[in-house]
Amino acid sequence: MSIYSILLAVLIGINILFGITIVFLERRSVSSTWAWLMILNFLPIIGFIFYLIFGQNLSRRKIFKWDHIVHKRTQDLVSKQMLGIVNQDPPFSEPILREYHRLIYLNLNNDEAPLTLNNKLSIFTDGETKFQNLLHDIRCATHHIHIEYYIFRGDFLGNQLIDLLTKKAEEGVLVRLLVDDEGSRRLPKKLVRRLTQAGGKFYTFFPGRLPILNLRINYRNHRKLVIIDSKISYIGGFNVGDEYLGLSKKFGFWRDTHLRIVGEAVNSIQSRFLLDWHQASKERVPFQSYYTMDDHTKYGEVGIQIVSSGPDQKWEQIKNAFIKMILSAKQTVYIQTPYLIPDESLLNAISIASLSHVDVRIMIPNKPDHPFVYWATYSNVGALLDAGARVYLYQNGFLHAKTIIVDERLSTVGTSNLDFRSFGLNFEVNAFIYHQETSQQLATIFKKDIRLSRELTPSDYRNRPFIIKFKESISRLISPVL
């Protein structure tokens, strides 16, 4: 037997072994399983390498460690709120909380996400305003600044932010900066060194252990969070880079949605940061030292749950909450997302809402930032148009907002896109907002964006060129692993 025959037999054996692993041992969706089997069978060598890099399953690993005291307190609060929902105790007897008590219960049960009611928030839809406010809040910091971004670039905005963080570190403010290793791979080390030499702390999430190859490259921290002095927090879609200020010639104006939150929900966002920080740095930070215990100040009346999800979890918490939101709609569902690649369960939920005479409107970009992802998004539009949903292509730059509004009473803003990657591969975080005034404000913003969009009609979609249909077909096949 020749050496080539032996290598071929070994290769076939490895493919069979990985195929068995995917089908019988890994807890994957059917679509993802079939996608991986196709890759392994049609690309034997390349598929094997791809699986080693992109095919790891984190669902059985405990990668985040709680502060035991705070976790016990959180669990007790969650149990108390779940019991309060069952018994319809105050505040769950209030109309909007009673109306959405099952969604609140779902988030409590799936993610230990306490409901907080004493909050106030501001909405930002352009990078200039968001970063002006963020930089101002950082300048006023006196105790600590916690920052977490998926993308942090070494351009004008990145330098401006590092300069300010360095200055605050020199003043004695504790600065912790966490970025995703892959998303921020181009962040210059010398830029970060300025911060660390001034006393700031810096780590990357899931860094590669090999010089070139990162075996966890497929699992990224897509969260964007800032917490200042345990009093102010930011959450949403903006990363740190000049394109988010609208300075990119390719994308033009960058349309995103971001929240500034003050109140009780800041503690929930702080917990999320500290869990991520400990995973990356291994620094044991006492959570309660970074919590605000102010029970006397009245901030506002916005109800918020901060819900996280990731590939280490049993349930796809954010996706499940999206589905529950959409199926609760009685009149309207407004969705903004740069990537529309939902699995069958979410696609069915959106379709069911539309088929039930709910006014479903979906807004996506009119230009791609990732071609395969864009055409996979476009391929899902047809089914939703058939179900009666209305689809808009945003024309005024690039749409990156991740927002859902139901009946102008319930809404969510965060980092999660409506795609396989956000639901099953990325670490994400969303704010679920139980407040009519905020939801109406987000709905008004959505309607203004419609005036800057072109509606894609069923006729337009049916008459699209053959080349677009071809791109859709290819992208749709690989969408479960994009």
Side-chain angles (χ1 to χ4, degrees), residues 98-100 325-333 353 356-359 405-409:
R98 187 171 66 246
E99 182 177 358
Y100 298 114
M325 278 184 72
I326 291 165
L327 292 179
S328 73
K330 298 178 178 64
Q331 296 176 330
T332 59
V333 175
S356 304
H357 197 53
V358 173
D359 181 7
I405 309 123
V406 169
D407 294 338
E408 300 191 18
R409 289 173 58 76

Side-chain angles (χ1 to χ4, degrees), residues 133-189:
N133 280 266
L134 176 61
L135 293 171
H136 174 267
D137 288 335
I138 289 174
R139 289 189 192 98
C140 297
T142 59
H143 184 263
H144 68 270
I145 303 164
H146 291 162
I147 299 187
E148 177 175 353
Y149 279 103
Y150 171 61
I151 294 174
F152 197 117
R153 301 202 190 281
D155 51 19
F156 169 77
L157 180 59
N159 270 273
Q160 186 180 16
L161 189 49
I162 288 291
D163 285 344
L164 182 55
L165 293 175
T166 300
K167 181 175 183 294
K168 298 305 293 187
E170 290 171 344
E171 293 174 2
V173 175
L174 202 161
V175 177
R176 292 184 173 97
L177 173 60
L178 175 64
V179 302
D180 184 77
D181 189 72
E182 177 61 23
S184 302
R185 65 186 181 279
R186 295 180 183 176
L187 180 61
K189 292 181 180 179

Side-chain angles (χ1 to χ4, degrees), residues 346-357:
L346 182 55
L347 191 64
N348 284 342
I350 300 172
S351 299
I352 288 168
S354 185
L355 290 166
S356 304
H357 197 53

Side-chain angles (χ1 to χ4, degrees), residues 389-423:
R390 299 178 71 177
V391 176
Y392 299 88
L393 305 178
Y394 185 74
Q395 305 279 84
N396 188 41
F398 185 73
L399 178 72
H400 193 248
K402 303 109 171 31
T403 306
I404 302 176
I405 309 123
V406 169
D407 294 338
E408 300 191 18
R409 289 173 58 76
L410 170 69
S411 52
T412 182
V413 173
T415 69
S416 182
N417 300 305
L418 270 67
D419 64 2
F420 286 96
R421 174 160 294 280
S422 280
F423 297 147

Side-chain angles (χ1 to χ4, degrees), residues 80-92:
K80 180 180 178 181
Q81 290 188 347
M82 290 171 71
L83 184 61
I85 290 173
V86 172
N87 295 331
Q88 297 185 6
D89 295 335
F92 299 105

Side-chain angles (χ1 to χ4, degrees), residues 34-63:
W34 277 112
W36 276 115
L37 288 174
M38 288 178 61
I39 290 172
L40 287 170
N41 285 323
F42 288 103
L43 302 170
I45 299 176
I46 298 174
F48 171 71
I49 296 171
F50 276 13
Y51 185 80
L52 287 178
I53 298 174
F54 300 113
Q56 299 180 69
N57 193 334
L58 300 183
S59 63
R60 297 182 181 88
R61 305 181 192 179
K62 299 293 184 182
I63 65 174

Side-chain angles (χ1 to χ4, degrees), residues 10-25 40 48 51:
V10 169
L11 188 62
I12 293 173
I14 291 173
N15 266 16
I16 292 172
L17 177 63
F18 275 106
I20 292 172
T21 300
I22 291 172
V23 173
F24 295 106
L25 300 181
L40 287 170
F48 171 71
Y51 185 80

